[in-house]
Amino acid sequence: MNFTPITMNTTGENKTVKYYVRSWRKEEKTIGFVPTMGALHEGHLDLVRKARETCDKVVVSIFVNPLQFNNPTDLEKYPRNLESDVEMLVKENVDLIYAPLPMEFYPTPPNVSLDFGKVSSVLEGEMRPGHFSGVGIVVARLFHIVEPHKAFFGAKDLQQVAVIRNLINDLGFDIELVRCPTKRETSGLALSSRNKRLSESGKKTAAEIFAGLQLAMAGLEEFGFEEAKKLARQHLEKYPEIKTEYLEWVNPENMEILSSTSQQKNPAICIAAWVEGIRLIDNLLSEN
Ligand code: PAF
């Protein structure tokens, strides 16, 4: 196919998406899916390219999911730029872009809520009540519509990946979850749609978040979880513009918080921090 069908902001588009994906499945084509909330950057494009490399067809969704925002201002200020998103995706040769209207995606407000247990009760789950329920509902609905063989998620949202793994296993989706490494600016700042709201100097300061994580990871073997975490904290404290919300070592598979007595071969260190009123998250995996 040498054009990208774009189904956006029209009624009945779920049916259009289903029509395409079902015809591809009949032809035994593999379908790779990249769910996004738009405001695309190189991190998203990297997921799209990974999908392109390993699947016959690539579907990208663009939908700012109101259910996963516990803060109305955050939802309102979330960057949106559908036109340039579509332009970027057409250049990547994706096979289908699905950008539904909220009214169509949720014809009636969902009554269900999802509880992922321990994996979602800490870090983001603790700070943003209801967030992972909203993520789970939107991703499950998208999976039903797109019926992908593989779904691609960025490791920057490490806890989200763990939640989606549970969603797939617990609800029996026959989908392979692919976790892709975090893409970063040369400064180390993790790419995020939220970075668009930072000033140039804010971006420079925010890069120190990753520097802190690197210090902790470098010190882990010698000093252990608690002392290594202190190394990161000491670094971050040099930048009063960075307000750390949490900084924790976790088991990246189930998000169990690790302390001095824990045994974990491949831990990750996770952070949420505020810079210029923007909430940023990042993490560093020991296996990367
Ligand atoms: O990671 C995101 O952008 C969102 O949480 C997702 C997976 C697209 C669900 O809205």
Side-chain angles (χ1 to χ4, degrees):
M1 187 176 298
N2 56 4
F3 73 99
T4 307
I6 300 164
T7 74
M8 58 187 183
N9 300 353
T10 59
T11 54
E13 57 186 350
N14 288 359
K15 283 194 189 131
T16 316
V17 176
K18 277 183 187 289
Y19 168 79
Y20 278 106
V21 296
R22 294 216 169 141
S23 62
W24 292 333
R25 276 188 168 258
K26 266 191 207 139
E27 294 163 20
E28 299 195 354
K29 305 280 188 216
T30 52
I31 300 167
F33 177 42
V34 182
T36 81
M37 296 207 298
L40 302 182
H41 50 67
E42 273 299 313
H44 296 109
L45 298 186
D46 189 59
L47 301 181
V48 170
R49 288 170 198 149
K50 296 250 160 57
R52 183 84 283 163
E53 277 165 26
T54 55
C55 300
D56 300 317
K57 299 288 178 186
V58 178
V59 179
V60 178
S61 64
I62 301 174
F63 181 62
V64 182
N65 172 34
L67 293 189
Q68 69 188 75
F69 287 82
N70 55 324
N71 175 345
T73 316
D74 198 21
L75 172 61
E76 192 192 314
K77 292 202 170 154
Y78 199 85
R80 290 164 173 87
N81 202 339
L82 190 56
E83 229 172 275
S84 80
D85 289 347
V86 167
E87 236 171 73
M88 287 161 99
L89 293 173
V90 169
K91 279 195 196 134
E92 294 298 323
N93 227 358
V94 311
D95 296 283
L96 199 144
I97 300 167
Y98 175 43
L101 284 173
M103 278 280 289
E104 190 196 3
F105 195 75
Y106 297 124
T108 54
N111 292 309
V112 76
S113 71
L114 297 177
D115 182 349
F116 293 91
K118 279 190 184 160
V119 79
S120 67
S121 64
V122 294
L123 308 184
E124 291 304 287
E126 189 180 349
M127 297 300 161
R128 305 177 66 190
H131 170 68
F132 286 121
S133 175
V135 169
I137 293 168
V138 75
V139 171
R141 276 181 91 97
L142 287 166
F143 282 173
H144 282 305
I145 295 165
V146 177
E147 298 180 32
H149 296 87
K150 294 186 184 192
F152 296 77
F153 290 85
K156 185 179 81 68
D157 295 298
L158 193 65
Q159 192 170 12
Q160 172 168 277
V161 175
V163 163
I164 302 299
R165 193 180 302 113
N166 280 11
L167 181 87
I168 289 176
N169 292 340
D170 294 354
L171 299 187
F173 285 104
D174 186 11
I175 295 171
E176 183 187 334
L177 171 63
V178 186
R179 184 180 77 193
C180 304
T182 304
K183 291 290 281 183
R184 300 183 180 278
E185 307 263 9
T186 39
S187 65
L189 175 64
L191 298 189
S192 163
S193 304
R194 290 169 198 266
N195 295 354
K196 294 194 169 123
R197 291 167 58 202
L198 291 171
S199 70
E200 280 314 306
S201 88
K203 279 189 195 156
K204 217 168 141 211
T205 310
E208 298 303 332
I209 294 173
F210 182 56
L213 298 184
Q214 283 177 306
L215 282 171
M217 193 58 82
L220 179 61
E221 208 174 297
E222 191 175 349
F223 302 114
F225 289 126
E226 294 307 325
E227 290 304 311
K229 197 158 76 174
K230 268 189 208 156
L231 296 176
R233 280 209 183 272
Q234 279 161 5
H235 179 76
L236 295 170
E237 277 160 14
K238 290 191 223 152
Y239 302 89
E241 308 93 311
I242 302 177
K243 313 263 179 268
T244 304
E245 194 175 88
Y246 63 71
L247 175 69
E248 297 289 358
W249 289 100
V250 299
N251 172 345
E253 300 309 311
N254 60 13
M255 303 312 287
E256 182 200 345
I257 305 279
L258 306 172
S259 62
S260 50
T261 54
S262 312
Q263 302 290 322
Q264 173 64 35
K265 263 174 88 188
N266 291 313
I269 184 158
C270 296
I271 189 167
W274 294 79
V275 176
E276 295 182 332
I278 314 299
R279 188 173 184 277
L280 302 170
I281 60 169
D282 199 357
N283 66 78
L284 188 54
L285 285 148
S286 57
E287 71 224 46
N288 274 348

